[in-house]
Structures are given as structure tokens and as C-alpha cells.
Amino acid sequence: MFKPVRILQVAAAVLLGGCASSHTAPPSAQNSPAAQAAPAASASSHARRPPAASVDANGFVDAQGRLKPEIQSYARQVAAKHKLPLSHVEALLEDARYNAKAAELMSPSKTRVRRSWVTYRKRFVEPVRIRAGVEFWNQHRATLDRTAAQYGVPPSIIVAIIGVETVYGRYTGSFSVLDAIATLAFRYPDPQRPERSQLFQDQLADLIVLDYQGVLDARQATGSFAGAMGLPQFMPGSLMRYAADGDGDRHIDLAASPEDAIASVANFLVQHGWRPGLPVFAPVVLPADAKSLVHGGLEPVYDWEQLKTQGASKARAPVDSSFGSGWTQHKLGIVDLVDEPRRTAEYRCGTPNFFAITHYNRSYFYATSVADLAQELASRMGYGAPN
């Protein structure tokens, strides 16, 4: 799983992990919101995929179509751990195919990418997403207002996340989720990152469970090259643990139901520490040596009194004073937004709500882009400002 260590802040971070994922211990699969809401899938929806034209050396079956030993061992472990029929697990894995493109896109860069906050921000806080975000907000205003009242997450933040992830459903990915996740689970392209293989093996197990429960059809599901699905780009584990039924039809569909996507984003953030009534960034003037206060993790670490002793002070005229000073009662963290080509860095003071967004994507660049896009959208809509 991901570790809360120094966060990679490059443009590739959104491609690598630009989707909701969980690193917390799961509840039982039978008690997940998705499992309770979804009807059983029909037998016809689980039809076997046609066999590949030839055996791929990187694939998961041998020339006779039997699972290779390490894949067979994994199948037994998953079946035992999740109390699934071994035949069901084996059948899915036999149908999975190695996807060379997914492996290529996940391969580490041969050259170091210089971090650029300015370039990164321009990719997401831009006219297309702003216009589409206003349209999406207007179209789903009632749902967003109801969700904000229920979860305490402003509409602007929810809309911004869906905009950053998929431009409101325009780009959800066309990879077979089964193939992509199996490829990264068993043939991860960077041998120096064994924890990545384990992460995707965990996600593959969740995908198999969801298929068995009828929540989705693993053979038909499509998404990003990393296996993220729907408008909010949820990985299987997040679909299992955090997806919510926003339209009340007792079925969760993150691809076709904006209501479900909206509720699921809000629920994910709340489950990862979102605090209603707090801004994303505290209105703070930081000291000149703010760099020395950067911790770099996924959790805030400072009390307000500690920051004051380091030279921080409240801003005299915050952009939005409607939040009051309640943020001083919570842990805070200093966010560094480095631009190496320009040799500059911007520093902000993140509240627990900033760090809740980093659990969606473990990048300060990502979370700040969401907050900035949300601010732009809120300004145009006239309410729901996140800062």
C-alpha cells in the first residue's frame, strides 16, 4: 500500500494514482455499501471471454490454458481469505490478459521529471474544466446541495474532483479493468517497487469479490490503465468501501449515475478526515523560512500555537472569512508547491480538509489543484467556496 512518506509532486502523479484509493483496513465485503445496494448480476453477464489468439509469455496461463503456478497460488489465497468459490476466482484469472500498454504507462520514467507547480496547475485549473464544471453544477445543483447538507462537503469540492478526474465523465478510460489490474498485480514493470505489486494484488482481490457479489462484471468493466472506474475514478477497493447510493435506486453505478458519483466522492472525503465547516487552506501568513516547516506527509502535524511560535500569523483579510477561526482548533500542515524550472516555491497552510483530499490522490499538487479549481467554480456559482 502507499506509505505516508514524502509525496511525489509531478504531473505523472495524476496518471499514476489519480483516483480514489484506500489504504485502510476493509470491513467485510458483505457489509460494504456497494454490496448492500447492488442486485445480483445475471449469469449471462458473466460469460467467458474468448481465448487469446496465442499464449503471451507475460500472461497468466500456460499453453494448456491453466493458471501459472504463482497465479494459481494467488487464486487459492483469495478464495480462502474472502470465502469465495475457488472455481469463480480461477475462471476470472484465466480470462485476464496481460496488457502491455498498461505496463508501459506504469513504467518508471528513464529521466527525472522536474516538478512544476505552475505547469501542473494549468492542466487542471483551465477554461474547459471551469466551463464544464459550471454546467455540471447547474445540472446537478439539487443533488449537490443535498449531498453537501448530508456530508458537509461543499459542492465546489465535489465538482472539482470529478472535473480533475474525468472532465465530468468525458474521459473515464477504455482499458479492461480486469486486464489492467492483473497486469500490474503480477507483472508490475518496476521490480524495485514490490509494494506496488501487492497494492494491485489487493485491488484485484477486491475486484473479484465485487464480481462475485454482482456489484459489477469484472470482464466488462472498463477504466483507466490503473483500473480506476467511473466519473470519480474509484479503484475496486474504494468502490467496495466508500461508494454510496446517491440516487436511491439501491444500485451503485459510478459510470452512469452522477448522483452516485457525487455522493461517493463526498463519502470518501468524510471517511478520510474531512471536517465540515473548515476551509481547505487556513488564512495564514507564513514565516520567511516556511520551507523548514514542511513535513511532507499525508496528515497535518502542527498545532496553531506551534506555528505561531515559528512566526506564522493570521492573515488580516482572508479571501473568505465565513469560516471564522475554527481552523485554529485543528492540526495544520505546511504545503510546498515547488516549481523547479522556475526555481520558485509557494507555501500554504493546509487544514485537515486539504489532507483529506490527498487521500484521493497522494500529491500536494493534486489536492491544491482541486482546491483552486473549486474556488474558481464557487466564484462563478456564487456559493460553496472551499477557502
Side-chain angles (χ1 to χ4, degrees), residues 278 282 302-305 314 324-332:
L278 292 186
Y302 296 109
D303 295 326
W304 173 235
E305 293 300 322
K314 293 182 182 179
S325 59
W327 53 268
T328 61
Q329 306 304 310
H330 297 269
K331 291 286 188 179
L332 304 167

Side-chain angles (χ1 to χ4, degrees), residues 48-266:
R48 298 293 297 273
R49 298 164 72 184
S54 60
V55 176
D56 188 335
N58 287 318
F60 315 121
V61 296
D62 59 23
Q64 287 72 44
R66 295 185 299 248
L67 292 176
K68 293 181 178 179
E70 74 274 18
I71 313 299
Q72 182 65 57
S73 175
Y74 171 83
R76 293 194 186 98
Q77 293 172 17
V78 169
K81 179 178 179 180
H82 297 282
K83 297 180 173 56
L84 302 176
L86 179 59
S87 59
H88 184 88
V89 180
E90 291 174 331
L92 273 179
L93 294 175
E94 287 167 1
D95 282 355
R97 298 168 189 166
Y98 175 77
N99 189 305
K101 188 64 175 178
E104 176 188 348
L105 290 170
M106 195 62 82
S107 297
S109 174
K110 295 181 180 178
T111 58
R112 181 182 177 276
V113 178
R114 293 198 296 171
R115 295 179 294 163
S116 173
W117 162 235
V118 173
T119 301
Y120 187 102
R121 185 183 188 278
K122 286 180 179 178
R123 294 177 57 204
F124 299 106
V125 188
E126 45 83 31
V128 170
R129 280 181 171 81
I130 293 171
R131 287 195 300 269
V134 169
E135 180 180 349
F136 183 88
W137 193 333
N138 278 319
Q139 185 177 359
H140 302 287
R141 185 190 294 260
T143 298
L144 287 160
D145 287 347
R146 183 176 65 252
T147 303
Q150 178 180 353
Y151 291 96
V153 180
S156 55
I157 293 292
I158 300 170
V159 176
I161 284 179
I162 295 175
V164 168
E165 290 293 338
T166 62
V167 195
Y168 309 101
R170 296 183 189 180
Y171 307 102
T172 58
S174 58
F175 285 80
S176 161
V177 171
L178 175 62
D179 292 351
I181 296 181
T183 297
L184 300 174
F186 302 120
R187 305 290 184 264
Y188 195 81
D190 185 356
Q192 303 302 315
R193 301 296 302 276
E195 77 281 1
R196 289 281 184 166
S197 292
Q198 184 60 56
L199 181 152
F200 284 104
Q201 287 182 26
D202 293 342
Q203 292 293 334
L204 181 58
D206 289 335
L207 180 67
I208 294 170
V209 171
L210 291 170
D211 179 87
Y212 181 72
Q213 293 174 339
V215 176
L216 53 70
D217 184 341
R219 295 178 176 85
Q220 300 299 321
T222 58
S224 74
F225 69 84
M229 297 171 281
L231 275 73
Q233 292 289 275
F234 269 27
M235 294 295 287
S238 288
L239 173 58
M240 177 184 291
R241 298 169 181 89
Y242 308 114
D245 180 13
D247 55 19
D249 68 352
R250 298 187 58 79
H251 174 73
I252 295 175
D253 188 342
L254 299 183
S257 173
E259 294 82 3
D260 289 354
I262 288 167
S264 296
V265 169

